[in-house]
Amino acid sequence: QSALTQPPSASGSPGQSVTISCTGTSSDIGNYNSVSWYQQHPGKAPKLIIYEVTKRPSGVPDRFSGSKSGNTASLTVSGLQGDDEAYYHCSSYAGSQNVVFGGGTKLTVL
Amino acid sequence: QVQLVQSGAEVKKPGASVRVSCQASGYTFSGSFIHWVRQAPGQGLEWMGWIIPYSGATNYAQKFKGSVSMTRDTSISTAYMELTSLRSDDTATYYCARESVYDGTNFDFWGQGTLVTVSS
C-alpha cells in the first residue's frame, strides 16, 4: 500500500485561505469516504480535525473544511491564524481493514 | 477524560526487540480498537496495525507482518506493541491511538508518543 501524496509545504498570510491536497488511488481515497485530516504541532501528537471527508469533531473551528473529488482529498484552512502553523497529515481507509497516511504538509503562516 | 499514556523512550541495538506500552483511561478499554502509528524523524505518519482489546484480534500492515506483535492486558487497560529484529530505519516515535466513536476509520485520542532509537 503506497502512501498518499501531499505537497511537502504550503503557506499563506494571516487571514488568507490555503488548501492542501492529498492524492491517492481508486483503492483508497477514490473508493471510500473515510478520509481524515490531522494537525500536528512540533513535538506533539496528531490531533483529528476532519473525518469522513467533511466532518469536524466537536471543538474544531469551522475555519477548517474538507472535500474530495475522485482520488484527491483537500483540506482548506480559512482565515489563517498563527496557531495554524503546523504539519497536516491526511489518511484514508484503504480496504481490508487497512489505513494509509500521506507524507504530511508543513503549513507556514507568513 | 480519555487518556492514552505510553511508556518511556528506548534505545536499542540493531537486531534487538522493543516493547511499547499504552495505558488507557477515561473510557471502556474493550470498546474501541487501538491502532499503532509511527513517525520517523522529519517524516510523515505510518500506520502499523490495530488490535481489538475485547478479543485480542489483530491486523497488521503488510510491511510489518512477521516483525510486529500487538497484544493487550484488559485487566490493566493496556495495549502493547512489540517490534523485533530492529534496524536503524525503525528509529521513530511510536504512537498508540484510539479509533474514534465517529463514523469511518479515524483516531480521536493519541498517546504522547514513545521515541525508539536504534543505534549500535
Side-chain angles (χ1 to χ4, degrees):
Chain A
Q1 189 69 44
S2 300
L4 307 174
T5 301
Q6 297 181 236
S9 63
S11 63
S13 300
Q16 289 187 332
S17 295
V18 64
T19 296
I20 298 170
S21 63
C22 172
T23 301
T25 69
S26 58
S27 297
D28 38 65
I29 291 178
N31 201 33
Y32 303 99
N33 283 326
S34 188
V35 176
S36 304
W37 288 90
Y38 300 86
Q39 178 192 62
Q40 185 181 31
H41 287 106
K44 301 294 187 181
K47 172 189 174 184
L48 179 66
I49 57 172
I50 295 287
Y51 68 97
E52 287 271 282
V53 181
T54 62
K55 300 174 183 177
R56 285 184 309 276
S58 174
V60 174
D62 60 6
R63 300 185 299 102
F64 294 91
S65 62
S67 63
K68 188 185 92 166
S69 178
N71 297 338
T72 298
S74 298
L75 171 73
T76 297
V77 186
S78 305
L80 273 174
Q81 300 178 2
D83 191 52
D84 297 334
E85 184 161 298
Y87 288 87
Y88 291 83
H89 306 273
C90 61
S91 75
S92 174
Y93 180 69
S96 302
Q97 303 294 315
N98 292 329
V99 176
V100 62
F101 281 96
T105 298
K106 181 178 182 180
L107 174 60
T108 301
V109 180
L110 301 171
Chain B
Q1 72 283 21
V2 174
Q3 277 194 305
L4 299 174
V5 178
Q6 299 183 221
S7 49
E10 303 262 13
V11 180
K12 296 292 183 181
K13 294 192 182 301
S17 299
V18 68
R19 189 175 83 154
V20 179
S21 67
C22 170
Q23 185 168 37
S25 61
Y27 73 101
T28 302
F29 177 65
S30 297
S32 300
F33 287 36
I34 291 289
H35 293 250
W36 290 89
V37 177
R38 77 178 185 180
Q39 185 173 35
Q43 303 299 310
L45 302 172
E46 182 174 29
W47 179 76
M48 300 178 70
W50 52 249
I51 182 167
I52 304 176
Y54 177 77
S55 64
T58 56
N59 179 52
Y60 305 138
Q62 185 64 38
K63 173 178 179 176
F64 297 102
K65 288 180 179 177
S67 63
V68 74
S69 176
M70 297 176 189
T71 57
R72 92 291 187 219
D73 184 339
T74 55
S75 69
I76 55 172
S77 299
T78 299
Y80 302 92
M81 185 284 299
E82 181 174 26
L83 194 60
T84 62
S85 302
L86 290 168
R87 309 185 325 177
S88 58
D89 60 0
D90 291 315
T91 294
T93 297
Y94 290 77
Y95 293 99
C96 61
R98 186 186 82 160
E99 187 166 316
S100 82
V101 300
Y102 305 119
D103 292 334
T105 304
N106 49 78
F107 315 124
D108 58 354
F109 286 93
W110 295 65
Q112 82 275 21
T114 296
L115 177 61
V116 175
T117 302
V118 183
S119 174
S120 55

